[in-house]
């Protein structure tokens, strides 16, 4: 296949093709392989199918050492994948970012973003995020580009830099980005003497303006605050993996909130035990945050861990420290990447498995408790592919970056994997067990027994109900006959 590029609306746009498509279809920027078609939204899996299924694997066909998938993000039906070492028009490591959208039951290319005026080693795609029709992409040279979509066309809206860069501020500006509505947060982990900072920009009428620079209340050299950021509404969390706590240089995460147009630090989150690199990645959803600590040593040097916190009012409280339900090996780096959506979290362990193939873990919360997780590995693992170095999470879909995966004959080419994470498990409703998803179980007021579980051996506690109401709808009618007959045929003792 041939890479066919053309300029459109100030950035480079390229096409895509399915593997095996004839050479006459000259759309060769992205190759989608290993497709496992997901169910339509709202559909249910057949009984017994509970492992997250791969929807599609996406490979950009730029060439070797592109690192496609070094960063990923997803929101709604749009995903963005960074390829920060992509060569563009002969410019070395100029970088690109690829926009993919949900199309029926799979994910398809929509645009390749690469601003005009590429320079060597700009590394556009160092950090990415998406919200609605807005995408933010950072470079390693201290700028963040904002693109907006109209229909299916993307145009550059802004090129932002640290407002105090002229006086020595903004070191590392663009190491991380987060966009939510008309607010953009940009991490600058090397600001000052590497204490770090976060810059807030807001949009009005299509114009982005600087709002505030956030600094920790207790800035410390090499704290590196801002190396990771996440934003939801008027709450921001920033990781500082070199910050101090009562246990030494464990790392910390700072929560800031906005009232009107003013941001203030709400709380410094610290680990409840000795750990390392706490704050390497962070995520927020509602009143919950998860903080990755990939160098945590509890299960071995650098095995990793993830810490969960909940907010009540203005106070954040530690909930649980999670590691996988299998033996971690030193250097797995569980917690290098984290993502959170409601009662679901995904944690990356990019050096897990043989030869650092990498893996991710899908965790769910039921009744306030987070599960140990369900492991997801690439169907085509590659040596040192770093599968899981970046992750993104939407309601039913997870996207996982593997920037050092080899594609065809290209080494370190990179890939992004999309997964349907709807997964049935046993659910107790009105004293009876049935298989359904976590979301469906919560919706009907049931008690979820966990992912990858079935009803065999599950004893559901009887709930108060009307005698004879076999289907639990609080109505006595002919619909109660079939459940009664089914139970009679099954036999056994009452729970």
């Amino acid at each position: 296949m041939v890479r066919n590029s053309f300029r459109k609306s100030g950035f480079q746009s390229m096409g895509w093709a399915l593997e095996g498509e004839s050479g006459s279809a000259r759309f060769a920027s992205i190759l989608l392989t290993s497709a496992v078609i997901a169910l339509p939204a709202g559909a249910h899996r057949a009984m017994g199918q509970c492992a997250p299924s791969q929807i599609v694997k996406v490979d950009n066909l730029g060439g070797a050492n592109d690192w496609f998938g070094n960063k990923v993000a997803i929101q709604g039906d749009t995903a963005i994948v960074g390829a920060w070492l992509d060569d563009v028009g002969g410019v070395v490591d100029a970088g690109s970012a690829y926009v993919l959208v949900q199309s029926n039951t799979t994910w398809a290319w929509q645009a390749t973003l690469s601003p005009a005026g590429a320079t060597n080693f700009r590394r556009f795609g160092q950090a990415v995020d998406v919200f609605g029709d807005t995408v933010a992409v950072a470079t390693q040279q201290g700028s963040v580009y904002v693109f907006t979509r109209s229909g299916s066309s993307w145009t550059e809206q802004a090129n932002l830099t640290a407002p105090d860069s002229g006086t020595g501020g903004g070191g590392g500006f663009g190491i991380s980005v987060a966009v939510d509505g008309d607010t953009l947060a940009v991490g600058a982990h090397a600001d000052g003497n590497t204490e770090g900072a976060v810059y807030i920009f807001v949009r009005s009428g299509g114009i982005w303006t600087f709002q505030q620079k956030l600094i920790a209340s207790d800035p410390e050299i090499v704290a590196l605050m801002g190396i990771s950021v996440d934003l939801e509404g008027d709450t921001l969390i920033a990781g500082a993996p070199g910050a101090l706590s009562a246990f030494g240089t464990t790392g910390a995460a700072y929560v800031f909130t906005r009232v009107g147009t003013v941001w203030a630090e709400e709380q410094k989150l610290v680990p409840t035990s000795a750990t390392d690199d706490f704050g390497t990645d962070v995520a927020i959803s509602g009143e919950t945050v998860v903080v990755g600590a990939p160098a945590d040593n509890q299960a071995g040097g650098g095995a990793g861990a993830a810490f969960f916190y909940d907010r009540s009012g203005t106070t954040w409280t530690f909930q649980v420290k999670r590691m996988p339900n299998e033996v971690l090996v030193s250097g797995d780096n569980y917690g290098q990447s984290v993502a959170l959506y409601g009662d679901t979290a995904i944690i990356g362990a990019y050096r897990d498995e043989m030869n650092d193939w990498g893996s991710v873990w899908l965790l769910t919360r039921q009744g306030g408790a987070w599960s140990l997780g369900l492991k997801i590995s690439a169907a085509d693992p590659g040596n040192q592919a770093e599968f899981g170095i970046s992750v993104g999470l939407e309601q039913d879909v997870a996207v996982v970056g593997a920037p050092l995966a080899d594609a065809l004959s290209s080494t370190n080419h990179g890939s992004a994997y999309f997964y349907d994470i709807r997964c049935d498990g046993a659910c107790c409703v009105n004293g009876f067990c049935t298989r359904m998803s976590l979301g469906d179980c919560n919706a009907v007021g049931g008690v979820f027994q966990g992912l990858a579980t079935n009803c065999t051996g599950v004893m559901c506690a009887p709930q108060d109900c009307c005698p004879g109401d076999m289907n639990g709808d609080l109505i006595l009618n002919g619909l109660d006959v079939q459940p009664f007959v089914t139970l009679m045929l099954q036999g056994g003792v009452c729970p």
Side-chain angles (χ1 to χ4, degrees):
M1 294 184 219
V2 180
R3 185 170 187 168
N4 178 26
S5 64
F6 58 96
R7 292 285 177 182
K8 182 178 181 181
S9 302
F11 61 88
Q12 194 172 51
S13 181
M14 304 176 188
W16 63 275
L18 291 179
E19 185 178 29
E21 192 169 339
S22 67
S24 61
R26 300 172 63 86
F27 307 125
S29 154
I30 291 188
L31 172 68
L32 292 91
T33 60
S34 306
V36 178
I37 300 302
L39 297 175
H44 295 280
R45 295 187 177 282
M47 295 298 182
Q49 185 178 2
C50 61
S53 63
Q54 182 177 306
I55 302 172
V56 71
K57 173 190 174 185
V58 182
D59 302 311
N60 97 315
L61 293 184
N65 301 310
D66 278 357
W67 283 47
F68 177 85
N70 65 283
K71 291 293 182 181
V72 298
I74 184 172
Q75 199 269 333
D77 61 357
T78 304
I80 180 82
V81 181
W84 73 321
L85 301 187
D86 187 18
D87 296 342
V88 178
V91 181
V92 179
D93 292 354
S96 300
Y98 294 77
V99 179
L100 296 104
V101 294
Q102 192 169 25
S103 177
N104 296 320
T105 56
T106 190
W107 287 77
W109 171 91
Q110 185 174 72
T112 302
L113 310 181
S114 183
T119 58
N120 289 334
F121 310 111
R122 179 178 59 183
R123 293 175 179 168
F124 175 87
Q126 172 179 251
V128 299
D129 200 17
V130 56
F131 185 92
D133 292 321
T134 300
V135 159
V137 184
T139 76
Q140 198 178 53
Q141 294 181 345
S143 62
V144 173
Y145 290 83
V146 180
F147 297 84
T148 57
R149 175 172 54 190
S150 176
S152 59
S153 297
W154 291 84
T155 56
E156 182 182 322
Q157 186 176 63
N159 178 10
L160 305 173
T161 58
D164 56 351
S165 60
T167 56
F173 183 90
I175 189 66
S176 60
V177 294
V179 59
D180 187 272
D182 292 317
T183 302
L184 171 67
V186 181
H189 67 304
D191 181 75
N193 290 317
T194 63
E195 296 95 339
V198 178
Y199 293 79
I200 304 295
F201 298 85
V202 293
R203 176 173 54 188
S204 178
I207 304 299
W208 289 90
T209 57
F210 171 68
Q211 185 174 67
Q212 189 173 338
K213 180 178 180 178
L214 309 182
I215 299 174
S217 59
D218 57 347
E220 300 154 354
I221 295 177
V222 199
L224 306 177
M225 191 190 83
I227 203 165
S228 59
V229 294
D230 200 12
L231 174 68
E232 186 174 273
D234 293 320
T235 302
L236 177 141
I237 182 168
L244 297 174
S245 74
F247 301 98
T249 309
T250 57
Y254 292 83
V255 179
F256 296 85
T257 57
R258 176 173 54 187
V259 176
T261 60
V262 178
W263 292 84
E265 184 180 314
E266 184 172 66
Q267 189 171 332
K268 177 182 179 181
L269 306 183
V270 293
T272 55
S273 59
T275 189
D276 283 299
D277 288 353
F278 177 97
T280 295
D281 201 11
V282 294
I284 182 171
S285 181
E287 303 299 302
T288 301
V289 300
V290 57
V291 181
D296 186 88
N297 295 325
Q298 182 175 336
F307 296 75
F308 290 84
Y309 297 78
D310 283 350
R311 176 170 58 184
S312 177
T314 59
T315 301
W316 292 87
T317 305
F318 169 73
Q319 298 300 307
V320 69
K321 176 183 179 180
R322 276 286 171 255
M323 295 175 289
N325 56 350
E326 71 171 21
V327 177
L328 279 173
V329 177
S330 296
D332 279 356
N333 294 136
Y334 176 91
Q336 178 70 30
S337 58
V338 300
L340 188 63
Y341 185 97
D343 292 320
T344 305
I346 190 166
I347 314 294
Y350 77 111
R351 288 181 176 165
D352 186 21
E353 294 290 4
M354 182 184 302
N355 298 322
D356 294 342
W357 291 342
S359 67
V360 298
W361 292 80
L362 182 67
L363 286 67
T364 58
R365 175 171 53 188
Q366 171 53 298
W370 285 96
S371 66
L372 291 174
L374 198 64
K375 187 174 185 175
I376 304 175
S377 300
D380 57 344
N383 292 342
Q384 298 177 330
E386 297 194 348
F387 175 92
I389 199 169
S390 58
V391 294
L393 186 62
E394 182 54 23
Q395 183 172 8
D396 295 328
V397 179
V399 57
V400 181
L404 299 188
D406 298 338
L408 302 179
S409 60
S410 297
T411 58
N412 299 340
H413 178 95
S415 300
Y417 297 76
F418 289 77
Y419 292 90
D420 179 353
I421 60 171
R422 288 171 295 181
C423 186
D424 291 342
C427 176
C428 288
V429 184
N430 292 331
F432 298 97
C433 182
T434 186
R435 284 181 60 84
M436 61 179 69
S437 69
L438 170 65
D440 289 344
C441 186
N442 287 339
V444 299
V447 179
F448 199 62
Q449 305 299 305
L451 297 173
T453 59
N454 56 46
C455 287
T456 303
V458 173
M459 304 294 286
C460 296
Q463 299 185 13
D464 294 336
C465 60
C466 176
D469 179 19
M470 301 302 296
N471 64 357
D473 62 2
L474 303 181
I475 300 174
L476 291 175
N477 55 27
L479 297 178
D480 297 306
V481 175
Q482 183 58 49
F484 174 75
V485 172
T486 300
L487 288 173
M488 288 292 291
L489 292 175
Q490 288 177 349
V493 298
C494 291

